Amino acid sequence: KNRPADVAGNSLLKKISFIKGNNEQAGKQLNRVANSLKGKEVDINAPVTKFMDDVDALGVTFDDKGKPNFSGSQIEGVAPAESLINKVALRIKRNDNPDALDAHNFKKFIDENVNFGKVAEGLGGKTERVVKSLRKGVNESISGKYSKYKEANKRFSDTINALDSVQSAAGKKIDFFAPNAEKAVGTVLRGLMNNTKGRAQLMNAIDDVEVTSTKYGGAFNDDILTQMLFADELDAVFGGAARTSLR
């Protein structure tokens, strides 16, 4: 039932679980801080103006009522891109003087409509960059004015990015919280010892997990790369544990 690579898989899972717990705590903290900002002032005019300029650069125009016109634009006929611009423009129009909580909810609205870390299906790259830039600007406007929001948001962002990074490297089918997950992760970690094209991505993801877990108070005394090297060496000396392998 047990193989050398499972040990390294278990070591990585401990750090992933620690980061997951931190992310959940940060999410709750961020919501508490955001709710306390109801009625508090924030100025997001600069990122909104930049958004309008960026959309204009795509050839999209607006009528007197603020409705986008995509005729002749770079994204004309690209349904997901047009839909996203329409949704964002409508949201801006409905609340042209948001408080800090409104701005936070606007940022989360963008998160729900754009897949961060990957290109949304059918969404043009230029449109995605424009909307992500708006999201970043709104976030900086809130964080620059309210330090507690900045602190909670940074912790949430760091942890979710580390989790997304390792999930992307391991593959969507890997469930880090399923029974025998350490065995599945151990198999993935074997990619560190070969020359597959995903090796660099996997190494970067593991580094993200280790740095993030340490940054937020994780006390781990194991080295995943060294454990995998040792597991690979055990196989080299004693033979592979997989009975149906070529060896």
Side-chain angles (χ1 to χ4, degrees):
K1 289 185 177 181
N2 301 303
R3 297 179 181 176
D6 298 351
V7 177
N10 189 53
S11 294
L12 182 59
L13 282 181
K14 287 179 181 178
K15 297 177 182 182
I16 290 174
S17 295
F18 177 81
I19 293 173
K20 177 69 172 176
N22 249 270
N23 177 255
E24 291 173 350
Q25 292 173 12
K28 293 176 182 178
Q29 181 187 4
L30 183 58
N31 284 334
R32 286 196 300 270
V33 173
N35 288 330
S36 72
L37 298 179
K38 184 175 179 60
K40 300 288 183 67
E41 292 183 357
V42 69
D43 184 2
I44 65 169
N45 285 325
V48 168
T49 299
K50 183 179 183 301
F51 168 74
M52 293 298 186
D53 291 341
D54 290 342
V55 171
D56 181 69
L58 293 176
V60 180
T61 58
F62 292 87
D63 61 22
D64 294 338
K65 295 182 179 180
K67 184 178 180 180
N69 177 13
F70 301 99
S71 179
S73 72
Q74 297 176 27
I75 58 174
E76 181 181 7
V78 183
E82 289 187 359
S83 175
L84 181 58
I85 296 297
N86 273 322
K87 289 177 182 177
V88 172
L90 179 60
R91 184 81 175 227
I92 293 171
K93 180 186 173 184
R94 275 206 319 247
N95 192 352
D96 58 358
N97 188 30
D99 62 20
L101 176 58
D102 292 331
H104 167 77
N105 287 331
F106 181 41
K107 189 185 79 171
K108 302 306 290 183
F109 163 80
I110 294 175
D111 289 345
E112 288 297 315
N113 283 276
V114 177
N115 292 323
F116 279 77
K118 49 195 116 135
V119 177
E121 184 178 355
L123 185 60
K126 291 181 180 179
T127 308
E128 185 184 39
R129 286 193 294 272
V130 165
V131 178
K132 284 184 176 181
S133 176
L134 170 62
R135 193 258 190 207
K136 180 181 178 182
V138 171
N139 181 58
E140 289 175 348
S141 295
I142 310 171
S143 298
K145 191 170 179 66
Y146 301 101
S147 59
K148 288 185 178 180
Y149 183 89
K150 180 179 181 180
E151 179 185 338
N153 187 64
K154 177 64 175 170
R155 182 183 176 199
F156 182 82
S157 178
D158 285 347
T159 50
I160 199 68
N161 285 341
L163 292 172
D164 285 348
S165 176
V166 73
Q167 186 72 71
S168 177
K172 294 180 180 179
K173 292 183 178 180
I174 298 294
D175 183 352
F176 294 122
F177 307 101
N180 295 313
E182 75 281 0
K183 302 182 187 307
V185 175
T187 300
V188 170
L189 290 176
R190 286 188 172 279
L192 293 170
M193 299 296 120
N194 58 35
N195 292 320
T196 60
K197 61 181 181 181
R199 179 173 177 268
Q201 182 187 8
L202 184 57
M203 290 185 72
N204 290 337
I206 292 171
D207 188 55
D208 284 346
V209 166
E210 295 193 315
V211 168
T212 303
S213 61
T214 300
K215 180 177 180 179
Y216 291 104
F220 301 98
N221 61 357
D222 46 22
D223 184 322
I224 293 170
L225 294 178
T226 303
Q227 286 182 349
M228 272 311 304
L229 179 62
F230 187 63
D232 191 64
E233 196 66 19
L234 284 175
D235 279 353
V237 174
F238 295 105
R243 298 180 64 88
T244 58
S245 67
L246 181 60
R247 172 177 288 173

